[in-house]
């Protein structure tokens, strides 16, 4: 055998961890197809009034009902002109494009009676805030395909203050609504819009596939309780790209169901790409995994993220009773500034939906790779707390350079318990658990 070929084969055997494609393919290219609909109607044709005061729920519902008849004729666009369009919750339909013109603002009604109450999601068994039912989201897609929510940077404003106050004062009747939610839908695009003040999550996709979210801005106040930007939940083939997200809690959070409900629903979140995002998470994490992850989360690639003013940068959260897994996760080319804990992995995090959880359902956290990361003004580099029954395994850190807020003080930058992995070129120097040579990373020596 020629020497060059032998060398190549030898190298290939070392490649898996570095060149693994994670099967993600080009999920971010899927949303690039042009979206033109042969028919377009304006919300004005359904009697809507854009004065910020008139309730337009019926106009939106009637418009969508009318546009259903175009589903087999190439679909249609519902056009929302400049104005302030107050509405309660409404549903979308397949082959529909909801287009918000520049200076068009859809305003969510602050009267809870304008929000339908619906059953909890089967993979959660109850609402996230409270047991039992939940408010339906403002804009909903249920069992749809080929839906687009876009515009020329129009705005969807959830006016969430009322819901945040009720959450804080424990006076919610049901779990809070989200701003936009797709359930069991395929080929969904959300783009070119600004989302403000979501009551809870801004964009929630659950049991979906082929979801493409790009060029969105999503903001809630840093004080808003547990508001989350984009939540791919039990969904596969998801791309989040070119977006700016500033949230009270997490900016992007990947989930897949809660304890026994998520375990029996068994629908993972897989093949997710997150690229070119600018994130802030005041009291949570800019990118988080879990803590609801009982259906499993795998094959996630994060590239080119700017994370600032966040309690933590990247967090993995789970607890006993969750079951499920978080694995094959690769994050790189990340810049962090003014971040509390750059990397956080907590195996004892979060509560249970009810007492029916399985105390022997241990989550698996493995094959996490964090590399090519620079941080400035970081308070703690990394906290990895696995548990005796389910230690975190195969955590690989490489080419990470964090300048610490209090450099020179006692070195507790990294804290590790029940975790093993390996590292290369990491400053400050990680804890011994993450320095050990792990044979499954045979190539670490060749970095
Ligand atoms: C919207 O869809 C949900 C199903 O997800 C249904 O329960 C509800 O009645 C629909 N609302 C309207 C106004 O069509
Ligand atoms: C997105 O919005 C920009 C302006 O913010 C506009 O120029 C562009 O045409 C929009 N793209 C689409 C696909 O509507
Ligand atoms: C979109 O609109 C928001 C305000 O509604 C503004 O802050 C933002 O800069 C705009 N983005 C673009 C790309 O025009
Ligand atoms: C460093 O980050 C902390 C938040 O972790 C922030 O309060 C502080 O203002 C930052 N310092 C500088 C110099 O930016
Ligand atoms: C893990 O989460 C639990 C529950 O929220 C908390 O009490 C604990 O301090 C966390 N551990 C770390 C290392 O953050
Ligand atoms: C280390 O990471 C930095 C920041 O992402 C990057 O610019 C640099 O090229 C990386 N170095 C190597 C040797 O890969």
């Amino acid at each position: 055998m020629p020497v060059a070929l032998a060398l190549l084969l030898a190298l290939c055997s070392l490649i898996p961890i570095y060149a693994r494609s994670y099967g993600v393919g080009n999920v971010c290219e899927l949303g690039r197809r042009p979206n033109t609909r042969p028919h377009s109607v304006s919300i004005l044709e359904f009697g809507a009034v854009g004065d910020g005061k008139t309730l337009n729920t019926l106009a939106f519902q009637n418009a969508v009902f009318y546009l259903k008849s175009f589903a087999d004729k190439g679909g249609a666009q519902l056009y929302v002109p400049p104005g302030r369009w107050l509405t309660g919750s409404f549903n979308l339909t397949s082959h529909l494009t909801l287009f918000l013109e520049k200076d068009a603002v859809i305003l969510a009604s602050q009267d809870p009676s304008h929000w339908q109450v619906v059953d909890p999601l089967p993979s959660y068994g109850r609402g996230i805030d409270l047991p039992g039912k939940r408010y339906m989201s403002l804009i909903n897609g249920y069992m749809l395909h080929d839906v687009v929510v876009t515009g020329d940077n129009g705005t969807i404003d959830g006016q969430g203050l009322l819901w945040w106050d009720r959450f804080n004062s424990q006076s919610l009747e049901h779990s809070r609504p989200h701003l936009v939610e797709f359930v069991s839908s395929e080929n969904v695009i959300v783009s070119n819009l600004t989302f403000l003040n979501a009551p809870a999550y801004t964009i929630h996709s659950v049991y979906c596939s082929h979801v493409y979210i790009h060029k969105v801005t999503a903001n809630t106040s840093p004080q808003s309780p547990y508001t989350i930007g984009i939540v791919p939940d039990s969904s596969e083939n998801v791309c989040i790209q070119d977006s700016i997200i500033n949230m009270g809690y997490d900016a992007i959070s990947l989930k897949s169901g809660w304890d026994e409900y998520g375990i029996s629903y068994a629908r993972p979140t897989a093949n997710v790409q997150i690229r070119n995002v600018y994130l802030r998470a005041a009291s949570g994490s800019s990118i988080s995994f879990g803590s609801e992850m009982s259906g499993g989360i795998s094959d996630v690639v994060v590239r080119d993220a700017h994370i600032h003013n966040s309690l933590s940068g990247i967090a993995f959260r789970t607890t006993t009773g969750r079951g499920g897994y978080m694995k094959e996760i690769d994050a790189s080319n990340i810049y962090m500034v003014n971040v509390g804990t750059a990397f956080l992995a907590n195996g004892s995090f979060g509560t249970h939906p009810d007492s029916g959880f399985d105390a022997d359902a241990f989550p698996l956290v493995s094959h996490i790779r964090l590399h090519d990361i620079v941080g400035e003004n970081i308070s703690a580099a990394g906290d990895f707390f696995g548990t005796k029954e389910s230690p975190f395994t195969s955590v690989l850190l490489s080419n990470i350079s964090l300048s610490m807020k209090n450099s020179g003080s006692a070195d507790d930058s990294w804290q590790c318990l029940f975790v093993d992995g390996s590292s290369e070129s990491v400053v400050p120097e990680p804890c011994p658990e993450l320095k050990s040579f792990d044979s499954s990373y045979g190539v670490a020596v060749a970095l």
Side-chain angles (χ1 to χ4, degrees):
M1 185 158 44
V3 172
L5 182 59
L7 205 64
L8 189 68
L9 287 177
L11 271 174
C12 285
S13 68
L14 295 175
I15 278 171
I17 177 75
Y18 287 97
R20 185 175 236 146
S21 77
Y22 293 130
V24 170
N26 57 350
V27 53
C28 285
E29 306 306 318
L30 295 167
R32 298 222 174 272
R33 66 203 155 85
N35 249 287
T36 47
R37 305 290 191 193
H39 308 279
S40 178
V41 294
S42 164
I43 192 69
L44 287 173
E45 293 171 47
F46 296 86
V49 179
D51 61 1
K53 296 192 186 88
T54 309
L55 191 67
N56 295 299
T57 315
L58 265 180
F60 279 103
Q61 287 175 351
N62 289 341
V64 171
F65 183 79
Y66 171 73
L67 293 175
K68 267 184 194 171
S69 59
F70 293 91
D72 56 358
K73 303 182 184 72
Q77 167 174 282
L78 176 57
Y79 176 81
V80 182
R84 294 171 66 75
W85 310 92
L86 185 70
T87 181
S89 54
F90 63 95
N91 291 334
L92 301 173
T93 190
S94 292
H95 307 292
L96 178 80
T97 297
L98 176 64
F99 187 96
L100 275 73
E101 190 51 271
K102 195 168 172 57
D103 301 319
V105 183
I106 292 183
L107 283 174
S109 163
Q110 289 192 299
D111 180 344
S113 73
H114 297 150
W115 300 68
Q116 254 181 284
V117 175
V118 293
D119 285 335
L121 293 164
S123 56
Y124 285 75
R126 50 162 280 184
I128 43 165
D129 299 320
L130 290 171
K133 298 194 173 209
R134 59 191 196 119
Y135 289 103
M136 205 170 132
S137 304
L138 182 70
I139 299 177
N140 297 273
Y142 177 66
M143 289 186 67
L144 306 185
H145 48 107
D146 177 25
V147 205
V148 182
V149 179
T150 188
D152 186 357
N153 194 25
T155 298
I156 299 176
D157 185 342
Q159 305 208 89
L161 186 60
L162 158 106
W163 301 100
W164 307 336
D165 286 347
R166 291 201 177 187
F167 178 91
N168 287 332
S169 63
Q170 303 189 340
S171 55
L172 283 169
E173 250 180 274
H174 305 284
S175 293
R176 290 175 292 174
H178 307 309
L179 205 43
V180 177
E181 182 173 75
F182 290 97
V183 182
S184 303
S185 298
E186 287 176 13
N187 292 314
V188 173
I189 299 178
V190 181
S191 64
N192 245 15
L193 292 174
T194 295
F195 295 87
L196 302 176
N197 305 313
Y201 303 167
T202 300
I203 302 171
H204 187 209
S205 78
V206 58
Y207 324 136
C208 291
S209 71
H210 298 95
V211 178
Y212 184 64
I213 298 169
H214 72 137
K215 294 190 183 144
V216 305
T217 300
N219 293 339
T220 60
S221 125
Q223 285 78 38
S224 58
Y226 296 99
T227 53
I228 310 187
I230 301 177
V231 184
D233 190 352
S234 293
S235 292
E236 55 192 24
N237 299 316
V238 178
C239 172
I240 301 168
Q241 199 171 11
D242 304 331
S243 293
I244 302 170
I245 307 171
N246 300 294
M247 286 289 134
Y249 192 58
D250 294 342
I252 297 174
S253 183
L254 282 68
K255 300 180 184 292
S256 64
W258 204 1
D259 286 4
E260 70 273 24
Y261 302 100
I263 293 170
S264 65
Y265 202 80
R267 175 100 193 234
T269 283
N271 291 351
V272 179
Q273 282 203 17
I274 299 170
R275 293 184 183 169
N276 191 30
V277 287
Y278 196 94
L279 311 173
R280 182 207 77 202
S283 67
S285 185
S286 270
I287 299 174
S288 75
F289 298 83
S291 77
E292 305 92 328
M293 41 62 77
S294 302
I297 299 172
S298 72
D299 303 286
V300 179
V301 175
V302 181
R303 292 267 180 285
D304 301 315
H306 179 115
I307 291 175
H308 65 104
N309 300 82
S310 297
L311 187 63
S312 59
I314 300 179
F316 302 88
R317 310 182 184 121
T318 184
T319 195
T320 298
R322 291 283 193 275
Y325 53 82
M326 298 191 275
K327 60 180 189 183
E328 312 300 351
I329 294 166
D330 183 305
S332 70
N333 290 16
I334 294 172
Y335 175 74
M336 297 194 194
V337 61
N338 306 343
V339 170
T341 305
F343 312 109
L344 180 66
N346 189 339
S348 317
F349 187 96
T351 55
H352 304 289
D354 53 38
S355 57
F357 68 94
D358 176 359
D360 292 324
F362 299 114
L364 178 126
V365 181
S366 187
H367 291 95
I368 311 284
R369 186 169 173 237
L370 308 167
H371 58 113
D372 304 319
I373 297 172
V374 172
E376 284 173 37
N377 187 29
I378 307 294
S379 305
D383 287 346
F384 290 85
F385 286 82
T387 62
K388 187 166 183 288
E389 297 79 12
S390 48
F392 304 151
T393 57
S394 299
V395 173
L396 176 67
L397 309 173
S398 69
N399 184 25
I400 297 177
S401 169
L402 306 174
S403 34
M404 308 301 293
K405 191 171 158 185
N406 299 314
S407 51
S409 65
D411 195 11
D412 54 359
S413 333
W414 298 84
Q415 298 190 69
C416 297
L417 205 60
F418 300 116
V419 55
D420 79 71
S422 57
S423 56
E424 181 80 10
S425 307
V426 176
V427 179
E429 196 171 306
C431 41
E433 291 87 337
L434 295 173
K435 274 193 279 194
S436 56
F437 179 76
D438 175 341
S439 57
S440 69
Y441 290 132
V443 81
V445 288
L447 259 177

